[in-house]
């Protein structure tokens, strides 16, 4: 398995792992992409996913935007995983940090929750997600952690029947991974 597990939690009978590693190498059923509304996967984790998974992920994304328009902040859509080990990429749009008084917390919560909901609808057992919004979008990392924890806990409480057995929060940046490992609480 790719990545180093820094912490592991039990949440409503499911495993949540904080991982230091490259999400594009994750051996899970689905990975989450921190996308923008137009699903133009240029930089950050999105760029890395398309570089390793192949341009078909970008083409499928373009098709989704052509059909339904831009993805709103907090929503999630699905493409194949292309050449990745993951079968699916769940693209969610986190909020751009604008000081904290523009609904950013709720929108980040929705991005995490709706990504899990998509995975649940796909019937997958394992999912790995990055620290959505905490890179280029500037959401403060320490503030993001309890939002991830709450969204995951709420999701499992509300979907006791879910196929999802394991959620990995995977970050390539050691500083961010450490913050998640230290601040994540259930
Ligand atoms: P956003 O625009 O939503 O902030 P970014 O892609 O800029 O998204 O960053 C989200 C997080 O993903 C950041 O914490 C960044 O360190 C991390 N990241 C970037 N590349 C990878 C990767 N290949 N694997 C895992 N995490 C990554």
């Amino acid at each position: 398995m790719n990545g180093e597990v820094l912490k592991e939690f039990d949440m409503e009978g499911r495993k949540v792992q904080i991982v230091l590693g490259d999400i594009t190498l994750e051996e899970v059923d689905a990975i989450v992409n921190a996308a923008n509304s137009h699903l133009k996967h240029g930089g950050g984790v999105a760029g890395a996913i398309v570089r390793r998974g192949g341009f078909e992920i970008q083409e499928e994304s373009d098709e989704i935007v052509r059909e339904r328009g831009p993805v709103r902040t907090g929503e999630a859509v699905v493409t194949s995983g292309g050449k990745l080990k993951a079968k699916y990429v769940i693209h969610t749009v986190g909020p751009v940090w604008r000081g904290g008084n523009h609904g950013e917390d709720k929108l980040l919560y929705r991005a995490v929750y709706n990504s899990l909901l998509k995975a649940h609808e796909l019937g997958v057992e394992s999912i790995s997600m990055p620290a959505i919004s905490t890179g280029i979008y500037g959401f403060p990392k320490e503030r993001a952690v309890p939002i991830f924890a709450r969204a995951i806990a709420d999701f499992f409480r509300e979907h006791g029947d879910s196929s999802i057995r394991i959620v990995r929060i995977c970050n390539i940046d050691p500083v961010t991974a450490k913050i998640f490992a230290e601040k994540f609480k259930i």
Side-chain angles (χ1 to χ4, degrees):
M1 188 60 114
N2 159 69
E4 182 192 349
V5 177
L6 302 182
K7 270 269 174 75
E8 183 172 295
F9 302 89
D10 181 276
M11 213 179 241
E12 308 284 331
R14 271 74 172 198
K15 254 193 232 171
V16 178
Q17 295 178 334
I18 311 297
V19 177
L20 171 61
D22 183 342
I23 201 166
T24 68
L25 298 172
E26 285 281 86
E27 294 170 35
V28 289
D29 299 325
I31 64 167
V32 175
N33 178 23
N36 56 48
S37 285
H38 290 90
L39 304 183
K40 291 293 179 202
H41 312 309
V45 74
I49 288 170
V50 170
R51 275 196 303 279
R52 199 180 299 276
F55 199 68
E56 58 253 53
I57 296 174
Q58 183 62 69
E59 286 170 345
E60 287 178 44
S61 298
D62 292 343
E63 184 60 29
I64 290 169
V65 174
R66 250 196 313 277
E67 273 175 13
R68 49 153 285 169
V71 181
R72 283 196 297 268
T73 307
E75 289 183 345
V77 297
V78 182
T79 66
S80 79
K83 298 177 185 70
L84 298 174
K85 293 204 173 91
K87 189 167 178 203
Y88 304 105
V89 179
I90 298 168
H91 305 266
T92 192
V93 181
V96 177
W97 181 254
R98 292 165 61 206
N101 293 319
H102 294 84
E104 292 95 329
D105 292 342
K106 185 75 200 169
L107 290 166
L108 180 58
Y109 175 96
R110 277 196 209 138
V112 174
Y113 189 98
N114 285 330
S115 296
L116 293 170
L117 193 57
K118 277 283 179 253
H120 166 73
E121 287 165 6
L122 292 165
V124 310
E125 289 184 8
S126 55
I127 176 172
S128 186
M129 61 173 71
I132 303 156
S133 281
T134 69
I136 298 160
Y137 279 7
F139 199 107
K141 299 170 202 299
E142 281 85 359
R143 182 158 165 160
V145 182
I147 297 172
F148 274 74
R150 205 157 24 83
I152 297 167
D154 288 353
F155 178 82
F156 283 131
R157 222 174 290 118
E158 290 158 22
H159 298 83
D161 63 334
S162 180
S163 57
I164 303 170
R165 308 313 309 172
I166 176 160
V167 178
R168 285 159 69 89
I169 303 173
C170 176
N171 210 288
I172 202 166
D173 168 40
V175 175
T176 309
K178 189 161 167 265
I179 292 170
F180 270 77
E182 281 172 3
K183 306 260 181 227
F184 199 93
K185 279 194 187 66
I186 49 169

